[in-house]
Amino acid sequence: MQLAIFTRSYAKICCLFLFIYSFSSILFAQQTTLYSQYFLNQYLYNPALVGYSGVPNAFFLYRKQWVGVNGAPETQVFTLDTKLNNENIGLGLTFFNDVTNIIGRTSGALTGSYKIDLTPHQQLRFGLSFLAIQNRIFFDRIQADDISDPTLLSAVDQRTVFEGNAGLHYTLKKLHVGFASEQLFQNTVRHNNEALFQSLDYTFVRHYYTTLDYTFTPSPHVDIKPMVLLRTVQGLPSQADLNLMVNYKQLVWLNMNYRPKIGAGLSVGTQLAEQFVFGYTYEFPTTDLSILGSSTHEFVLGLRLRKSSDSPIAREKGGSIKSLEKQTAIQYEKIDALKQENELVSGQLNETQSQLAAQNEELRLLREIV
């Protein structure tokens, strides 16, 4: 759960902010965004998974959390990733924008990954991301009781900082285990209040993610995948995401999500023409926010730029062609064998005919003598 700073009324926000502001305190909170459909775009949480699908991907995600609550988080993310001709290396780009109440963040990231094949069924991947983050404080959104207060802030203060993420991912057949960390450098940016000659320090806190999933295949067309995501932030209790996804022919899926003491949700999605991906998530809180009737909506649009040889239909057609070619080769071999047998039989027949002709000639001579 992304904890918004100052989630009370604007008057309380102003008082709390000015109190913190006056002491130039350092703010610590869970600063990264929740994603529900990270199973569609796996490197949202783990940079080691950039290029994991093996084909170029482009994804756009929009998330509106706690609809109807003032200052609730709103997020947009756009990602590009692919593997290089060397299948062990993946590259990706991420563009991110998030606003939570009076705090906003916009960032761009370059990500790289490397794969090591331990055995034919085991892989280990490493990933690193380098980010440029523009952190903003919307002072103009703070409302005071006395709007004529000469110290009332009406500007947006923004600062840029560089950060890094890292990740590991291990695969053993259908088992996947991942570990990642965001905001490794834990940089601090200082936002200044020129009117009051005071400052506010905003520190990027390190976040940790642990993932575990396993795919069961009860039938050739159905996959069932339980997934667990554990978030850990300095100074805050860990938070778990529990998921159960059912996938039919890799074309339609349904995912049920539950966050203990936070909320639950349902995701549905489809893949069209083997390239276009669409997903939608509806979440509802199981906390006091349910009194407000607030809900969360998340949309994902994706494009998988598969080569013709990568698509399931192409692979199926290719398999059929290879099967026909093999059968044709077998038939040709049989024809050649029959030709050889025919030539052998023809030779034997010619030899027999010659012997018969010689015997007939001998018989004629004997008749003349008699």
Side-chain angles (χ1 to χ4, degrees), residues 258-308:
Y258 176 66
R259 298 187 180 100
K261 300 181 181 180
I262 297 176
L266 185 68
S267 302
V268 294
T270 184
Q271 180 171 285
L272 303 175
E274 303 178 14
Q275 291 184 324
F276 302 99
V277 178
F278 174 77
Y280 168 73
T281 296
Y282 174 82
E283 296 180 3
F284 55 91
T286 55
T287 61
D288 293 340
L289 284 174
S290 60
I291 299 175
L292 301 177
S294 60
S295 58
T296 297
H297 304 273
E298 182 178 292
F299 299 89
V300 173
L301 294 175
L303 176 63
R304 301 186 187 276
L305 304 177
R306 293 183 181 274
K307 298 178 182 178
S308 58

Side-chain angles (χ1 to χ4, degrees), residues 9 83 111 207 272 282 312 321:
S9 66
K83 71 173 183 180
T111 304
H207 294 58
L272 303 175
Y282 174 82
I321 292 173

Side-chain angles (χ1 to χ4, degrees), residues 295-366:
S295 58
T296 297
H297 304 273
E298 182 178 292
F299 299 89
V300 173
L301 294 175
L303 176 63
R304 301 186 187 276
L305 304 177
R306 293 183 181 274
K307 298 178 182 178
S308 58
S309 59
D310 291 327
S311 67
I313 292 179
R315 287 195 295 269
E316 183 178 351
K317 290 181 178 178
S320 299
I321 292 173
K322 288 182 179 179
S323 177
L324 289 173
E325 289 176 346
K326 185 176 181 179
Q327 293 178 8
T328 302
I330 293 174
Q331 295 298 327
Y332 275 122
E333 290 178 357
K334 290 182 178 179
I335 290 172
D336 290 337
L338 290 173
K339 284 182 178 179
Q340 292 177 0
E341 291 180 2
N342 186 37
E343 291 176 356
L344 179 62
V345 171
S346 296
Q348 292 176 348
L349 179 61
N350 291 333
E351 184 179 355
T352 301
Q353 288 177 344
S354 298
Q355 292 176 355
L356 181 61
Q359 290 175 356
N360 288 334
E361 180 64 21
E362 290 178 358
L363 181 61
R364 185 184 64 79
L365 291 175
L366 287 172

